Each structure stands twice: as structure tokens, then as C-alpha cells.
Amino acid sequence: MEKTRPQWGNPLQFVFACISYAVGLGNVWRFPYLCQMFGGGSFLVPYIIMLIVEGMPLLYLELAVGQRMRQGSIGAWRTISPYLSGVGVASVVVSFFLSMYYNVINAWGFWYLFHSFQDPLPWSVCPLNGNRTGYDEECERASSTQYFWYRKTLNISPSIQENGGVQWEPALCLTLAWLMVYLCILRGTESTGKVVYFTASLPYCVLLIYLIRGLTLHGATNGLVYMFTPKMEQLANPKAWINAATQIFFSLGLGFGSLIAFASYNEPSNNCQKHAIIVSIINSSTSIFASIVTFSIYGFKATFNYENCLNKVILLLTNSFDLEDGFLTASNLEEVKDYLASTYPSKYSEVFPHIRNCSLESELNTAVQGTGLAFIVYTEAIKNMEVSQLWSVLYFFMLLMLGMGSMLGNTAAILTPLTDSKVISSYLPKEAISGLVCLVNCAIGMLFTMEAGNYWFDIFNDYAATLSLLLIVLVETIAVCYVYGLKRFESDLQVMTGHALNWYWKAMWAFVSPVLIVGLFIFYLSDYILTGTLQYQAWDATQGQLVTKDYPPYALAVIGLLVASSTMCIPLVALGTFIRNRLKTGGTASVA
Amino acid sequence: MEWIDGTSLNAENAFKVRLSIRTALGDKAYVWDTNEEYLFRAMVAFSMRKVPSREATEISHVLLCNVTQRVSFWFVVTDPSRNHTLPAVEVQSAIRMNRNRINNAFFLNDRTLEFLRIPSTLAPPMDPSVPIWIIVFGVIFCIVIVATALLVLSGIRHRRRNNKGLPGLDDAEDKCENTITVENGIPCDPLDTKGGHINDGFLTEDERLTPL
């Protein structure tokens, strides 16, 4: 007897769910950084090649497995081979870690969104110091956007050892974020299916509005030209290819079990090949689209800062030499400087050390990724736009949509195996299971609202998923091709969907993708080993900038635990199943 | 103008003033001439007269010197006997008190009319009693709580109605969505309710043949 499995209301909900899950914050804050670091327009070459060679085949594989097995990750892999249900367990563990820390980003998004309803924006001005004669010290040394992020939002401590207490403001926002997630996943696919219409499409609306606004900003073309000018020599850099492969891999969200969970709610006859291609192309196009927006914003910010710097130099020279106000402009600056150097050499040499060399290039070169890009660089650009409250609200609303969409996928990856399991679902209704998962995650997530929370966030962000996912997807590919059998899977798909499996997919699954993943795995492992001790960036309030520090031993232990707890699931569960089978069969036959 | 006592420009009681008229007013910038200087001296004298012990300060007691093209100059305030200059602290506090009036007289602000060594009091940012973000947070929080409660309650009510209406149904039935999935023209629901004893996947003959 097969209980009726919940299904998507229509295939469009499934596609939107996958898009909403795959298109996340990484498209906005990681891809532009990679593009900038690895040769601008020429980065698109390795990116598209990796998309075709690695992204589409692996995405299709996961969707096909989910649609065929019609169960969450644990059940699906158990069906393929009982020894491999550890892969499913590892996926659930990694998804659990991810949902723990990912929702903190949504909490920060809420915080900034709520603060966008003020005039002026709180991150555009520094607060005053004690006697109101100047601005707060830390804010002067850093910038007002950095101050708002590090001091007002995070209230960050100088190092990971100093924990501080739980900050009530981020804690409130985190609670709200989890409530919102619970609201969306409460009814399973019925509610999720409706929510993903919004979380998938609204970010595009906002991105489009931002594109139009961004392209009309003063100086936007500087950023765009800088980004898209291809630097062909980067094609020879192996790091460019590795980063392209990594970006495609993680951007699609492979290995978490979310895609398997989503596909398991499909009708068996669904054409998941078409959907896999559509989702991966949309994901990559969104990355490129978002980077156009990001680079026009970069260009605007860099031009603004460059012009500010020039104005400061002009003011300095005007004041030192008592030139007429308005005489010095950006165009005659150089010649006037030469004139002054020759006419008043002694005075000029006094002033000279204070004259900063303003360069548009160096402003554009500041490549930032991650939370720094989203919450510091973008807010800096927004505060200089007209009607900045509107742009701020739009922007953080978009970030929230992107983050929520990915969270829906993460929680689906955890909940689907739980609700599939007959043991758990017989005791508790679906709402209670979802509620429990959200509650546990929220409670643990309070760790990230402490003063040192951002350092722990970085640990989770960098180490919780990277190595484990590579291993999981590798085992998945090998399991489907060699344990289950590629021919058997092929015939299953043919029966299920009615289409024959193209030779291209077979070649990719059997040879190319596993080799690529092994290559990535080796690279990361050797990178971790070679760097020796791991380091992190800590915020130094006295200097107003980030400094590098070493992780203390217990933090390294946590990192090891994170990686081990998910990767060890695979061999441990296999071993457990093996022992259990031996006990069952060998109990009657042999004496131990 | 000459300084009394031959005091040099670095006298501790003298202050340098810097105006950036073109930056502030652009095309509407006025020319800095002796009349504007007179107004300035008047404003400084006015500020000093507000100090309790200095009500007798006259415009002639304010001396300007070294006016440059920038526009910048030095000024000093003397006492009625014209022998001594007033201490810097007094002048400083007097100017600070009346900074706004002085700025307005010239259509400038703290940044475009600078008194070096006289820090201006910065305006504190508006600080409402209840931070705005808490209000927005509260609104959204309440909406989410209400929506969640509604969904949970309607789910419980739905399940209770199902239990009352069709007793003996498998529990798993309640957790499925109400969308009736259709496969091969047969709704899936009937496939499950018989507990697996009857397989409706196999149609009986008379249903397959179209009725005459």
C-alpha cells in the first residue's frame, strides 16, 4: 500500500521551487566577486563550460533520483542500496547545519529592512561622541556603513574567544525569521508551492528595477567596463577553473537533499530533464544578471568615492595655499599641482604627504564578497542615491526573498525524510514536526546572535558544507551509475518519463562529473592541509578594520567535528547496515 | 589694518576664518568686499556683547587682518581700551553660542564658514522614544503570528472534520493534501482507502467498456 504522496499543484510550482532554492544569496554576492577576481568577461568561459559539463548533469541526476524514488534523501538512497542510506543521512545533517546558520542572514536582512524606514538612513551618518563635538571614534576610523554593520548590527567582539552575551535585537529578528519560515513550510507542498511563486519571481522584479536604476547612476559605466573587459590570461589560471566549478556546484545546491525532496513530490511522468536544463540555465543567467547590477553599483560607488577623494585633495590645496574658492577643479588639478610645486616648493613639500593619490582603478579593485558585499558595500552605494529609503527597502526585501527561498529548500531537505519516516509521522502531525525543527534550529541559532556570533557564522559558512557536499555528490553519482547500475536507472527513467536517456547524460554521469568532483575534492583537501593553521578575520574596533587571527584549538575542534559529523555518516551507516544484516542472517547460521 | 602691540599672526587670541562662498551658493555667490567684512565684524561684536561682562564691545574693537582670495582672514577682538586682546576662551564660547546667527547672516553653514580652532556643536540625530524599527518589527511579527495561528488551527479543524466524517481512515490520509491526484484517469484516493486489499488499478470489465 502506498500512501498518497503530496504533490505540487502544477509543474510550474516545482520549477519555481527549484529556481527559488537555487537562486540564492550566492548568486548576488559570490559570483560578482569571482567574476572580478578571475578576469571579468573571460570568467564566463570556464563558468559556462562547467555549467554544461558539471551543473546540468548533476542537477538532472538529483531530480531524476528524487522523482524516481519518490522519497526524501534517506529513503531514496536506501532504495538504491541499503548500505548507502548514509548518504541520505549525511545530506540531512549538512542541511541541518546549513539551515542553522543560513537563517541568521535573513535575520540580518530583517534588521536592515526595519531600519530602512528612517530618515536619514542610520548607516549613512556616524553617531556623535560624548561631548557632541565630533563623531564616534570607531566610526571615524572605519566608515559609517562598516560601523553600523560591525557595531550596531553585530556588536562584534574583538575575537572569537570573547563570547559576550546573546544580543536581544538580532535574537528577535532571528525569531521572526524562523516564524516566517515555519509559516511557509507549515502545510508542506501546499503552502510551499504558493510561497515559491513569490520568492522566485519577486527578486527578479527588484533586480530589474535595480538594473534600470543602476545603469542610470553616475559612474555606472565605469564599473561595467571594468568588469566585462576580459583579461584573457586568467583563462590559464587553474584557480579560475576550480572556482568556476565550485561556484556552479554550490550555487545549484547539489547534495543537500533539497532537490531530491522537491522532485519526490513530482508526478512520475514529469519531464525532469527539461526542468533540469531550465533551472540550471536560469540560475546561471541570474548570476550574470545580478553581477551586471552589482557592477553598475560598484561603478557608482567607486566614482562617488573617487570624486570625494578628489574633492578632499582640492579642499586641502585650496586651504593650504589660500587659493580662490572654486578655482581648483578636477580638470586643472594636475597642472595647478605642478605650478604650486614649482612656485612654493617648501610649503608644497609640507602638504604633499597628506595628498592622497586618488585612483578610480583602486576604488574599483576593492573586491568584496559575502556579507561584506551585501551589508557594507551595497548600503554604502544606496545611502548616496536619491530617495535612499526606497532603494534600501527594495534591496533588503529582495535579499529576504532570496534567502527565504533557499531556506524553504533547506527545510524541505530536513523535513521530507522525517515525514517520510513512518515512525515519526505516526506520532506527530506534519505541523508539529516542522514546528519542532524550526524551534530547535532557532534555539541553536541564538549562538550566532552573541557578540562573537559572526565568527562562528564564518566557521559554519566556510566549513560546514564544502567538503561534505563534494563527498556526498561523488558517492551519489557513483551509487547511481555503478551500484544501482546505469542501465537499470536508464530503463527506469524511460518507463517513468517516456523519453530515452541521451548519451550525453550517460557519459557525464559515468565519467566526467565524478572525475571533476574528485579533482575538486583533492584540491580543497590539499589546500586545507597546506595552509596549516586556519585563520579568520576579526574586527579591531581600535583600528577600525579587520585583522587576521588564528583560530583557538576548540574552534578548530568544532570545524573538525562539523566536517566529520556529516562525512562519517556514510561509512558509519554502511557499517551499521552491514553488521545488522550479518546479525540477522548470520545469527541463525553461524556462531559468532 | 595693523595689529596693536605688533602682535603677530600666531597670537593665541586670534582666530582664522575661512569662507567657501562659491561652494555654498554656486551661481548666487556674492563677492567678498569691505561691506561684507563690516557685517562680519558686526556679527562678532554682537556675539561678544551677549557675554555678560562684555556688553560694551563695539564694531571698531573687532580687527580683521590678512584677507586672502580664498576667502580667509584672521580676526581678533580687543577690549575697550584697545590695549589688550580678549582671551581666546571668551571669544570661542561667544562665537559657539551664536554660530547659527552668524552663519545665517552670510547664507552659509558650519562647513562653509569655518572658524579654525572653534569646534561647532553638531546637531544630535533625531532620537524618537520608541525606535522606529521596533514598530515595524512589531507589526510584521503580529501579522506572521496571526497567519501561523490561523493556518495551524485550520489544519487541526480540517483533520478533526476528516476524522469525524470518515472514521476508520488511515492516519496517513490526513497528512496528504486535498489535491486529488489523477493518474491514468483514476483518482488516487480510492486506491488507498481499501487498505490495499482491493487494487483499483485493475478496472472491472464493465467500467472499461463504454456504455452503450
Side-chain angles (χ1 to χ4, degrees):
Chain A
M1 172 193 92
E2 193 193 309
K3 75 170 183 195
T4 314
R5 192 172 178 76
Q7 287 201 356
W8 298 109
N10 59 56
L12 199 61
Q13 284 185 0
F14 166 65
V15 177
F16 271 26
C18 288
I19 293 176
S20 169
Y21 168 66
V23 173
L25 295 166
N27 299 66
V28 172
W29 75 31
R30 175 98 177 132
F31 181 79
Y33 168 78
L34 289 177
C35 220
Q36 189 175 7
M37 295 296 285
F38 294 111
S42 54
F43 183 69
L44 292 178
V45 172
Y47 187 68
I48 293 179
I49 292 180
M50 287 298 163
L51 171 69
I52 299 177
V53 160
E54 181 200 359
M56 285 187 199
L58 291 174
L59 182 63
Y60 182 30
L61 180 70
E62 288 221 357
L63 292 184
V65 166
Q67 192 169 308
R68 166 75 186 82
M69 305 302 165
R70 311 203 75 210
Q71 297 182 72
S73 51
I74 298 184
W77 296 109
R78 196 183 319 133
T79 314
I80 289 202
S81 156
Y83 293 105
L84 285 178
S85 51
V87 176
V89 176
S91 290
V92 173
V93 170
V94 173
S95 289
F96 189 68
F97 288 152
L98 185 77
S99 55
M100 248 196 274
Y101 79 81
Y102 200 85
N103 221 13
V104 179
I105 305 176
N106 288 333
W108 293 329
F110 272 120
W111 169 264
Y112 270 83
L113 180 67
F114 296 149
H115 276 89
S116 309
F117 291 98
Q118 292 175 6
D119 181 33
L121 288 173
W123 54 83
S124 58
V125 286
C126 275
L128 302 176
N129 61 12
N131 55 3
R132 293 213 206 143
T133 51
Y135 296 111
D136 184 284
E137 254 187 69
E138 189 182 348
C139 195
E140 284 277 289
R141 289 210 200 85
S143 64
S144 55
T145 45
Q146 281 181 317
Y147 175 79
F148 188 75
W149 170 243
Y150 286 111
R151 190 51 47 211
K152 286 287 155 78
T153 312
L154 300 174
N155 196 14
I156 206 165
S157 62
S159 74
I160 198 172
Q161 283 96 324
E162 294 151 61
N163 259 334
V166 171
Q167 317 283 314
W168 65 270
E169 297 103 334
L172 273 183
C173 293
L174 184 64
T175 315
L176 177 64
W178 274 112
L179 272 176
M180 187 98 37
V181 171
Y182 181 54
L183 179 64
C184 297
I185 61 175
L186 185 45
R187 289 287 196 82
T189 46
E190 179 189 322
S191 50
T192 311
K194 306 249 179 11
V195 172
V196 292
Y197 282 129
F198 296 106
T199 56
S201 49
L202 281 180
Y204 287 101
C205 295
V206 178
L207 271 178
L208 194 61
I209 297 175
Y210 253 93
L211 180 71
I212 299 174
R213 171 77 266 218
L215 289 178
T216 53
L217 282 173
H218 167 64
T221 36
N222 292 336
L224 284 175
V225 162
Y226 181 75
M227 170 188 159
F228 282 113
T229 317
K231 301 180 190 58
M232 283 303 180
E233 61 274 8
Q234 285 288 339
L235 280 180
N237 182 2
K239 283 210 156 196
W241 293 87
I242 290 173
N243 272 303
T246 315
Q247 174 62 12
I248 291 277
F249 188 87
F250 290 119
S251 175
L252 286 171
L254 303 165
F256 285 101
S258 315
L259 295 162
I260 296 181
F262 282 156
S264 68
Y265 298 118
N266 268 339
E267 284 188 36
S269 55
N270 185 41
N271 187 357
C272 53
Q273 173 185 284
K274 185 175 71 168
H275 291 154
I277 298 179
I278 292 176
V279 170
S280 49
I281 289 184
I282 289 183
N283 184 46
S284 296
S285 323
T286 310
S287 293
I288 299 176
F289 183 40
S291 60
I292 296 180
V293 177
T294 304
F295 273 92
S296 34
I297 305 269
Y298 263 168
F300 165 71
K301 177 180 101 72
T303 310
F304 190 87
N305 286 348
Y306 170 67
E307 283 174 0
N308 255 8
C309 174
L310 277 183
N311 282 339
K312 282 208 185 87
V313 172
I314 289 177
L315 193 66
L316 178 67
L317 286 176
T318 313
N319 287 344
S320 316
F321 294 96
D322 281 324
L323 305 167
E324 189 187 330
D325 183 34
F327 169 67
L328 257 186
T329 59
S331 35
N332 62 6
L333 183 60
E334 285 306 310
E335 24 179 277
V336 173
K337 266 163 70 174
D338 295 333
Y339 166 74
L340 288 173
S342 52
T343 333
Y344 309 100
S346 54
K347 201 163 180 198
Y348 190 77
S349 53
E350 272 175 38
V351 180
F352 188 68
H354 300 288
I355 300 181
R356 281 176 48 202
N357 231 348
C358 298
S359 145
L360 191 58
E361 286 283 317
S362 64
E363 292 283 341
L364 284 170
N365 255 342
T366 53
V368 191
Q369 59 162 336
T371 49
L373 172 58
F375 294 108
I376 300 180
V377 171
Y378 255 92
T379 48
E380 197 180 315
I382 287 174
K383 78 175 190 253
N384 296 325
M385 298 185 194
E386 287 111 49
V387 200
S388 39
Q389 281 78 10
L390 171 69
W391 298 109
S392 180
V393 168
L394 270 181
Y395 172 68
F396 288 109
F397 184 66
M398 177 188 76
L399 278 194
L400 278 172
M401 288 286 111
L402 290 173
M404 278 294 160
S406 302
M407 275 309 291
L408 296 181
N410 289 335
T411 44
I414 304 173
L415 283 177
T416 308
L418 288 180
T419 49
D420 283 347
S421 139
K422 299 193 187 17
V423 169
I424 301 179
S425 58
S426 56
Y427 283 120
L428 294 169
K430 185 175 42 183
E431 287 93 342
I433 303 180
S434 324
L436 261 164
V437 169
C438 289
L439 194 66
V440 169
N441 271 319
C442 187
I444 303 181
M446 290 297 163
L447 163 74
F448 301 111
T449 58
M450 295 197 294
E451 285 182 22
N454 195 42
Y455 302 129
W456 291 105
F457 176 85
D458 282 333
I459 286 185
F460 272 72
N461 195 21
D462 290 336
Y463 302 110
T466 38
L467 271 182
S468 332
L469 280 182
L470 289 170
L471 189 63
I472 290 174
V473 176
L474 180 65
V475 175
E476 282 184 6
T477 324
I478 295 178
V480 169
C481 291
Y482 300 109
V483 174
Y484 190 75
L486 192 53
K487 288 231 179 327
R488 189 170 153 203
F489 195 59
E490 182 185 353
S491 60
D492 280 347
L493 284 183
Q494 182 136 15
V495 166
M496 197 171 67
T497 64
H499 305 288
L501 192 62
N502 200 328
W503 63 266
Y504 175 73
W505 304 118
K506 284 189 276 190
M508 290 298 130
W509 290 348
F511 305 116
V512 181
S513 300
V515 166
L516 258 174
I517 299 176
V518 168
L520 284 179
F521 196 72
I522 294 177
F523 168 76
Y524 274 106
L525 218 51
S526 57
D527 201 45
Y528 283 154
I529 297 174
L530 282 176
T531 19
T533 174
L534 299 168
Q535 295 179 314
Y536 69 105
Q537 303 278 79
W539 176 255
D540 187 342
T542 51
Q543 288 184 46
Q545 62 182 25
L546 291 167
V547 292
T548 317
K549 290 194 178 165
D550 288 333
Y551 276 125
Y554 65 88
L556 292 173
V558 169
I559 295 177
L561 206 63
L562 277 178
V563 180
S565 55
S566 44
T567 48
M568 285 300 128
C569 284
I570 306 178
L572 281 178
V573 171
L575 196 63
T577 320
F578 181 69
I579 293 178
R580 198 169 54 155
N581 282 352
R582 284 301 284 267
L583 287 177
K584 242 193 276 182
T585 58
T588 51
S590 66
V591 182
Chain B
M1 305 208 184
E2 48 198 20
W3 297 102
I4 51 172
D5 310 336
T7 45
S8 68
L9 281 170
N10 286 332
E12 50 188 42
N13 296 336
F15 291 96
K16 184 166 180 185
V17 181
R18 201 148 55 197
L19 287 93
S20 311
I21 309 175
R22 186 149 312 168
T23 312
L25 301 171
D27 291 334
K28 302 201 197 79
Y30 48 80
V31 179
W32 186 261
D33 54 12
T34 45
N35 296 327
E36 305 283 346
E37 288 177 22
Y38 191 84
L39 177 59
F40 183 81
R41 290 162 69 208
M43 293 306 295
V44 173
F46 163 74
S47 311
M48 290 313 300
R49 286 165 83 103
K50 291 214 142 172
V51 175
S53 55
R54 302 285 175 199
E55 279 107 349
T57 317
E58 299 289 335
I59 295 182
S60 49
H61 297 152
V62 182
L63 306 171
L64 299 192
C65 189
N66 240 25
V67 184
T68 68
Q69 231 184 346
R70 168 67 180 80
V71 173
S72 70
F73 49 83
W74 292 80
F75 79 92
V76 84
V77 188
T78 61
D79 66 351
S81 68
R82 300 272 202 118
N83 283 333
H84 307 290
T85 57
L86 295 189
V89 187
E90 276 190 42
V91 181
Q92 219 177 37
S93 69
I95 301 277
R96 279 189 85 180
M97 293 287 183
N98 300 290
R99 190 60 186 272
N100 214 23
R101 301 287 295 271
I102 303 178
N103 286 348
N104 283 337
F106 293 97
F107 303 126
L108 300 171
N109 58 32
D110 280 356
R111 209 174 39 91
T112 40
L113 170 56
E114 295 170 76
F115 287 83
L116 272 64
R117 285 197 303 135
I118 303 186
S120 49
T121 311
L122 299 165
M126 186 186 69
D127 210 5
S129 51
V130 181
I132 299 183
W133 78 269
I134 296 231
I135 301 175
V136 187
F137 169 80
V139 167
I140 302 212
F141 192 74
C142 292
I143 296 178
V144 172
I145 293 254
V146 166
T148 310
L150 281 177
L151 272 184
V152 171
L153 286 174
S154 78
I156 295 177
R157 204 164 359 120
H158 187 82
R159 202 173 305 128
R160 216 169 280 157
R161 202 185 318 137
N162 267 357
N163 270 343
K164 231 187 319 170
L166 299 157
L169 265 186
D170 196 17
D171 242 333
E173 179 70 2
D174 300 331
K175 299 189 191 58
C176 297
E177 312 315 338
N178 280 333
T179 53
I180 300 211
T181 54
V182 177
E183 272 183 83
N184 295 330
I186 311 167
C188 288
D189 255 1
L191 287 172
D192 297 354
T193 54
K194 313 300 191 308
H197 299 301
I198 301 178
N199 191 346
D200 275 313
F202 290 96
L203 293 172
T204 52
E205 270 307 312
D206 38 340
E207 283 174 339
R208 185 126 24 110
L209 298 170
T210 46
L212 292 160

